[in-house]
Amino acid sequence: MPVTPGTPHEVLNQPPAFEDVNLFEADAPLREALEREGGGAFRARVSSFGALLGSARVLALGREANRHAPELLTHDRFGHRIDEVAFHPAWHEVMRLAMDASLHNLPWREPVPGAQAARSALHLLLSQVEAGACCPLTMTFACVPALRHEKDVYEALAPALRGTEYDPRLVPLAEKRSVLVGMAMTEKQGGSDVRANTTRAEPGGAPGEYRLTGHKWFCSAPMSDAFLTLAQAERGLSCFLVPRVLPDGARNPFAIQRLKDKLGNRSNASSEVEYRGTTGRMLGEEGRGVRTILEMVHHTRLDCVTASAGLMRHALAQAAHHAAHRSAFGRRLADQPLMQAVLADLALEVEAATALALRLSRAYDEGPEDEAARYFARIATAVGKYWVCKRAPSAIYEAMECLGGNGYVEESPLPRLYREAPVNAIWEGSGNVICLDVLRAMAREPESLPALLGELRLARGGHPAFDAACAELERELRGPADAEARARGVVERMALALEASLLLRATPEIGEAFCAARLAGSGGLLFGALPAGVDRRGLLERLERGRT
Ligand SMILES: Cc1cc2nc3c(=O)[nH]c(=O)nc-3n(C[C@H](O)[C@H](O)[C@H](O)COP(=O)(O)OP(=O)(O)OC[C@H]3O[C@@H](n4cnc5c(N)ncnc54)[C@H](O)[C@@H]3O)c2cc1C
């Protein structure tokens, strides 16, 4: 290694940059899950997206979009209110690339088997490189099932919803080549309990139109072209579509008060807004707003799982890369037994999260034709949202430590991944609310629990700890009536059993390692304390094969 002119020392024992890696081809669990869950026909497309995202150029875009946070422009220089947000060019470029890949609409644009699984794979890949952009893309994807409640509104928007050309212009919806659609529910006095919403909606304007007055405390991606929002109409909380620009080209009143100064997710603008006689079109039945928007919420929850799996995967890939190139005490870190235990344990977590995310997507693929798949998706999405999102921060933290001090420094991607991770557990239903949602699914849609248990039973006999965990779960479900207080424990058991069931069937040796480490009671509370007898080599070899 040459001495850099002007410095008195050689730079030794630092890894090369992690770049120009095909993030899909390097990821054995994702490759296999895409195939297994029906998305094989999309493999080439997902692979080329993985190559694009892993290129030095696009990895740099992800960094830049986060270093240069969006800026609120309330007024133009002449004092007119404009309520716009200015983004760094890197943000626009990431949005363009992702929309070009159909990340925001693949299953609606190409409604063929496997499209959901393929879109989830695309999403899992993007979350590794620029998770902020995932937010508007997810909401745009997720709004479609809710918009379908209002046929004429949906049909008018459908061509633009199917568009793949990023079109950031604020122009009337009818002129857009593609649209982004956000979601504004949370108010100051309540986010989980949206029934507390105070925004009012009075009929006004054309038939079906209302004027909205009130506020939203969190409204991400405020440069979207329209928002699904909730407001109180005469017969109760109802769902509305609020466009940013009215058909005559005038701006719909949408006063952005502030942008949130967030822990992470910094490239993405999240705002506080006020509606001041803002025009909205009612979607679905008056007074049934929560029901109308719920399908959007379920689809965004799916993406919380996928994004969390992606964040963990990238942290692991960075840790494995570092360990392979860094030596301490005369040996590569990757060859040291304790580092191997940490990496293998993290790999196990990523295997499970990836398998679960893609299995969920298949249920969304099958849902329209298959009632059991719909029930499975209903309950398993909430279970996955709780568990995978909650596992991500600690897994990423542990991966950060594998890089030593370099992992704590902003030039490394680890701090960004770490700051991003908790949001997936908070938004779209925070942990407790999600656990209560699992109970609600079991009570209101009694077919959902058997759908979940049926999926578990497919792996019966795969490992004694798995069989015992399933029996214990069923006992717990028959348990005393304090279900609310026990909900976290029950949902955790469901999640672990589901992940084990998937892994045992997909890759039995990894499933067995998972059962030993997560179900048999002999694994540690922190990553890296794998019980004796767990096959670390298999996990590490899969990681190694995918590494540059
Ligand atoms: C970065 C970011 C972007 C966001 N973007 C949007 C957006 O675009 N649109 C939007 O509408 N919202 C958005 N949100 C808001 C988000 O969805 C809410 O913050 C979330 O739903 C929680 O609501 P809350 O903040 O009002 O907390 P609360 O509802 O007050 O909940 C606080 C805590 O209490 C718990 N809790 C609530 N009810 C119960 C109960 N019955 N039993 C036990 N525990 C309970 C919750 O799990 C949570 O941990 C965003 C949030 C963040 C952080």
Side-chain angles (χ1 to χ4, degrees):
M1 182 88 55
V3 176
T4 311
T7 67
H9 72 286
E10 285 180 50
V11 176
L12 299 172
N13 199 22
Q14 289 282 343
F18 180 94
E19 57 191 27
D20 295 326
V21 180
N22 183 324
L23 297 179
F24 174 74
E25 295 298 339
D27 187 342
L30 181 60
R31 276 196 331 263
E32 291 167 16
L34 179 67
E35 201 69 44
R36 200 166 58 238
E37 306 303 354
F42 292 90
R43 191 198 151 120
R45 279 160 67 177
V46 179
S47 177
S48 64
F49 194 58
L52 179 69
L53 291 183
S55 66
R57 178 177 86 87
V58 178
L59 290 169
L61 291 175
R63 283 195 298 275
E64 290 303 294
N66 283 276
R67 267 165 53 88
H68 305 283
E71 190 191 345
L72 174 61
L73 309 171
T74 51
H75 296 79
D76 69 10
R77 69 190 177 104
F78 306 106
H80 306 112
R81 231 186 139 117
I82 52 169
D83 297 295
E84 291 187 13
V85 178
F87 291 90
H88 188 268
W91 165 271
H92 292 295
E93 180 62 359
V94 170
M95 290 294 293
R96 189 185 69 73
L97 296 174
M99 292 181 78
D100 185 56
S102 218
L103 196 153
H104 60 303
N105 64 10
L106 186 60
W108 321 131
R109 194 180 150 79
E110 299 174 47
V112 296
Q116 291 277 4
R119 198 204 70 87
S120 283
L122 297 173
H123 187 253
L124 192 151
L125 292 168
L126 182 63
S127 68
Q128 302 186 33
V129 176
E130 211 306 84
C134 290
C135 171
L137 298 162
T138 285
M139 291 195 289
T140 302
F141 156 68
C143 78
V144 168
L147 280 175
R148 283 180 175 153
H149 282 270
E150 207 60 51
K151 198 161 175 277
D152 60 327
V153 175
Y154 172 68
E155 278 173 3
L157 265 184
L161 284 166
R162 284 198 286 269
T164 53
E165 186 186 341
Y166 177 47
D167 179 0
R169 295 170 307 147
L170 277 184
V171 295
L173 292 173
E175 294 173 28
K176 296 281 301 190
R177 292 189 285 270
S178 65
V179 282
L180 292 173
V181 179
M183 172 168 62
M185 299 193 291
T186 306
E187 296 188 2
K188 292 181 180 113
Q189 68 285 355
S192 310
D193 184 4
V194 290
R195 292 165 312 173
N197 275 195
T198 59
T199 295
R200 283 176 292 109
E202 312 281 349
E209 275 188 7
Y210 288 72
R211 299 280 182 263
L212 274 53
T213 308
H215 80 281
K216 294 293 161 182
W217 182 230
F218 279 92
C219 175
S220 288
M223 288 300 280
S224 298
D225 300 290
F227 299 85
L228 266 69
T229 198
L230 295 175
Q232 303 286 356
E234 202 179 314
R235 270 180 271 161
L237 197 61
S238 308
C239 184
F240 297 86
L241 183 72
V242 166
R244 278 301 307 270
V245 180
L246 295 167
D248 64 1
R251 297 272 168 103
N252 203 6
F254 190 85
I256 305 179
Q257 306 297 293
R258 293 193 284 181
L259 297 187
K260 300 286 195 186
D261 185 7
K262 297 176 286 183
L263 168 68
N265 194 254
R266 297 189 77 87
S267 62
N268 177 36
S270 299
S271 65
E272 299 164 15
V273 297
E274 280 181 6
Y275 297 141
R276 302 172 175 174
T278 306
T279 298
R281 169 70 200 266
M282 191 180 282
L283 301 175
E285 252 183 87
E286 185 172 341
R288 306 297 300 272
V290 174
R291 202 173 143 217
T292 305
I293 210 165
L294 207 59
E295 271 193 78
M296 179 172 187
V297 174
H298 285 312
H299 282 74
T300 59
R301 286 177 180 173
L302 168 66
D303 274 15
C304 292
V305 180
T306 319
S308 299
L311 294 172
M312 284 192 276
R313 164 67 203 176
H314 200 64
L316 170 66
Q318 293 282 346
H321 176 78
H322 186 87
H325 293 280
R326 176 86 168 173
S327 296
F329 303 100
R331 259 197 305 175
R332 282 191 329 151
L333 290 173
D335 297 327
Q336 316 246 9
L338 192 48
M339 182 58 90
Q340 289 177 342
V342 173
L343 291 173
D345 205 357
L346 290 171
L348 203 49
E349 198 66 31
V350 173
E351 293 269 1
T354 307
L356 178 50
L358 273 279
R359 172 64 188 92
L360 289 174
S361 340
R362 175 153 68 86
Y364 284 75
D365 256 325
E366 294 169 348
E369 311 291 327
D370 178 347
E371 198 172 57
R374 277 203 299 283
Y375 286 121
F376 174 74
R378 168 69 186 90
I379 189 165
T381 305
V383 170
K385 157 83 162 84
Y386 175 70
W387 185 246
V388 177
C389 300
K390 288 243 177 251
R391 294 292 279 174
S394 50
I396 295 166
Y397 151 67
E398 201 60 65
M400 175 191 286
E401 198 173 303
C402 295
L403 277 74
N406 282 7
Y408 197 69
V409 171
E410 288 289 343
E411 285 164 322
S412 131
L414 269 302
R416 177 150 56 95
L417 297 170
Y418 183 64
R419 284 196 303 268
E420 182 71 25
V423 78
N424 287 303
I426 292 174
W427 61 15
E428 308 304 338
S430 311
N432 287 353
V433 168
I434 287 289
C435 290
L436 296 177
D437 188 54
V438 172
L439 299 186
R440 187 174 310 114
M442 282 162 34
R444 298 221 182 133
E445 286 148 280
E447 299 88 341
S448 62
L449 181 61
L452 180 72
L453 296 176
E455 180 81 14
L456 302 187
R457 285 190 196 111
L458 295 175
R460 194 156 42 193
H463 192 281
F466 171 71
D467 291 346
C470 290
E472 179 59 30
L473 172 64
E474 297 198 24
R475 254 196 312 281
E476 182 91 21
L477 288 168
R478 290 191 297 271
D482 60 338
E484 268 199 35
R486 291 183 297 114
R488 278 193 178 223
V490 171
V491 176
E492 179 173 325
R493 282 181 203 282
M494 286 175 168
L496 287 170
L498 181 54
E499 290 186 335
S501 163
L502 293 170
L503 291 178
L504 281 170
R505 286 175 283 146
T507 20
E509 55 298 349
I510 289 172
E512 283 160 25
F514 187 86
C515 292
R518 304 283 190 267
L519 297 178
S522 46
L525 293 179
L526 293 177
F527 288 104
L530 286 173
V534 164
D535 174 23
R536 284 154 218 201
R537 223 183 30 248
L539 286 156
L540 293 170
E541 270 169 12
R542 277 162 77 77
L543 203 53
E544 186 67 21
R545 277 205 300 275
R547 223 181 34 72
T548 47

